[in-house]
């Protein structure tokens, strides 16, 4: 595990490699581990020094819910554990199948229900960080301001400590920052999907954490000959190199790789000790060394 840390929201010190809990449920598609394995993965992550767990109340499928697994595995929570949740277009995991016009998670009622569901399922009185997750492919043009103002009011009620935003553009981040302090941005970003390069840099300049989801490719794992070459040179795996590249990219980047495998968890955390040299970084960028 890397010893490097980031002060999320300015006051929550987290190790730079976190853990994403979505894969523990197989949501929205895919296999999931057995319950005992899922609990063992969460406990082992904390043993390895991971203290930043990303989850949501809508990570749930067929009776298996990420928040409930986290609570069973880790409650009462370690003092330094930071659990980051999200709310947005979905109120429940099954809502993903609904057409955009029937998804009501971004309404004031939907957002409150989402926050309260996270509080209840995690067994806490206040959420460390809540990300406002805007829509995906079926994004309907819902403005960011109104839902963020709803979450700001919930923060003023004492239900939320810090606010973040997810799946946003640079313009939307600027809009969000005019409404409330923003602790983090959570967007799709990895070595092969780098449209957010300018946003990563803008967040770094503003002291905002950038949390890339699908840091090793998600449903489409990253593959490239140059990745294989660098991995072979370091006797590492391709996902480890992809994670090490993210850590080298900027000190505000906090990857949250998810897995339902103890072996892969160990590999992901070990990537924090992998130091890429200038030649490695040039090769990964496709430039001459």
């Amino acid at each position: 595990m890397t010893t490097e840390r980031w002060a999320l929201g300015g006051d929550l010190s987290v190790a730079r490699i976190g853990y994403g809990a979505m894969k523990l449920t197989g949501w929205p598609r895919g296999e999931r581990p057995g319950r005992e394995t899922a609990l063992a993965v969460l406990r082992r992550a904390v043993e390895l020094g991971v203290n930043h767990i990303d989850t949501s109340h809508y990570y749930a499928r067929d009776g298996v819910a990420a928040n409930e697994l986290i609570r069973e595995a880790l409650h009462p929570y370690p003092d330094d554990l930071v659990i980051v949740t999200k709310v947005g277009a979905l109120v429940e995991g099954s809502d993903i199948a609904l057409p955009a016009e029937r998804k009501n998670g971004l309404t004031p009622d939907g957002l409150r229900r989402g926050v309260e569901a996270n509080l209840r399922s995690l067994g806490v009185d206040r959420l460390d960080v809540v990300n406002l997750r805007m829509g995906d492919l079926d994004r309907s043009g819902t403005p960011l301001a109104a839902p963020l103002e709803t979450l700001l009011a919930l923060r003023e009620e004492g239900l939320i400590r810090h606010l973040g935003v997810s799946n946003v553009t640079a313009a939307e981040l600027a809009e969000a920052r005019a409404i409330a302090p923003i602790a983090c941005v959570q967007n799709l970003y990895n070595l092969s999907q780098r449209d957010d390069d300018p946003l990563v840099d803008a967040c770094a300049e503003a002291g905002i954490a950038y949390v890339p989801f699908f840091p090793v490719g998600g449903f489409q794992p990253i593959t490239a000959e140059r990745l294989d070459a660098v991995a072979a040179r370091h006797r590492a795996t391709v996902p480890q190199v992809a994670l090490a590249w993210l850590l080298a990219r900027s000190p505000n980047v906090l990857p949250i790789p998810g897995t339902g495998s103890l072996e892969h968890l160990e590999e992901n955390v070990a990537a924090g000790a992998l130091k890429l040299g200038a030649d490695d970084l040039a090769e990964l960028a496709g430039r001459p060394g």
Side-chain angles (χ1 to χ4, degrees), residues 4-6 16 189 194 196-212 243-255 281:
E4 297 174 1
R5 304 181 76 83
W6 180 267
R16 288 190 60 203
Y189 183 76
R194 299 184 56 180
D196 260 9
D197 268 337
L199 187 53
V200 172
D201 295 333
C203 286
E205 291 176 6
I208 297 171
Y210 185 96
V211 183
L243 290 170
W245 178 84
L246 284 168
L247 294 176
R249 172 63 180 80
S250 181
N252 68 318
V253 174
L254 310 179
L281 296 173

Side-chain angles (χ1 to χ4, degrees), residues 42-234:
L42 287 163
R43 291 168 181 147
R44 183 60 179 150
V46 171
E47 289 174 358
L48 291 171
V50 172
N51 72 328
H52 169 199
I53 295 179
D54 177 82
T55 185
S56 177
H57 66 292
Y58 60 71
Y59 289 169
R61 198 184 87 188
D62 301 330
V64 178
N67 284 2
E68 292 170 4
L69 290 170
I70 291 168
R71 183 175 183 174
E72 181 175 344
L74 302 175
H75 196 277
Y77 301 118
D79 290 342
D80 69 338
L81 183 64
V82 176
I83 301 177
V84 178
T85 60
K86 62 180 67 66
V87 294
L90 308 181
V91 177
E92 298 180 1
S94 58
D95 289 353
I96 195 169
L98 296 175
E101 63 272 13
R102 292 183 57 195
K103 294 178 180 175
N104 61 3
L106 289 170
T107 64
D109 178 65
L111 291 166
R112 178 175 284 276
R113 287 171 59 197
V115 167
E116 290 177 348
N118 277 303
L119 289 164
R120 182 171 58 252
S121 54
L122 288 168
V124 296
D125 296 324
R126 181 174 67 167
L127 299 169
D128 293 325
V129 183
V130 173
N131 282 318
L132 173 61
R133 169 79 174 179
M134 301 304 290
D136 290 310
L137 295 179
D138 59 358
R139 191 165 182 172
S140 59
T142 302
L144 174 146
L148 186 59
E149 287 169 354
T150 296
L151 291 184
L152 182 60
L154 293 172
R155 192 191 72 168
E156 291 171 352
E157 287 183 30
L159 303 181
I160 300 170
R161 185 167 183 163
H162 295 298
L163 296 175
V165 288
S166 177
N167 199 43
V168 295
T169 64
E172 286 172 321
L173 174 60
E175 181 183 5
R177 294 184 67 201
I179 297 169
I182 299 300
C184 55
V185 170
Q186 187 181 106
N187 277 10
L188 172 62
Y189 183 76
N190 55 50
L191 182 57
S192 66
Q193 295 171 295
R194 299 184 56 180
D195 291 347
D196 260 9
D197 268 337
L199 187 53
V200 172
D201 295 333
C203 286
E205 291 176 6
I208 297 171
Y210 185 96
V211 183
F213 64 81
F214 292 166
V216 297
F219 298 116
Q220 297 177 324
I222 300 170
T223 58
E225 288 185 9
R226 62 186 187 274
L227 261 170
D228 293 334
V230 173
R233 191 155 61 239
H234 286 274

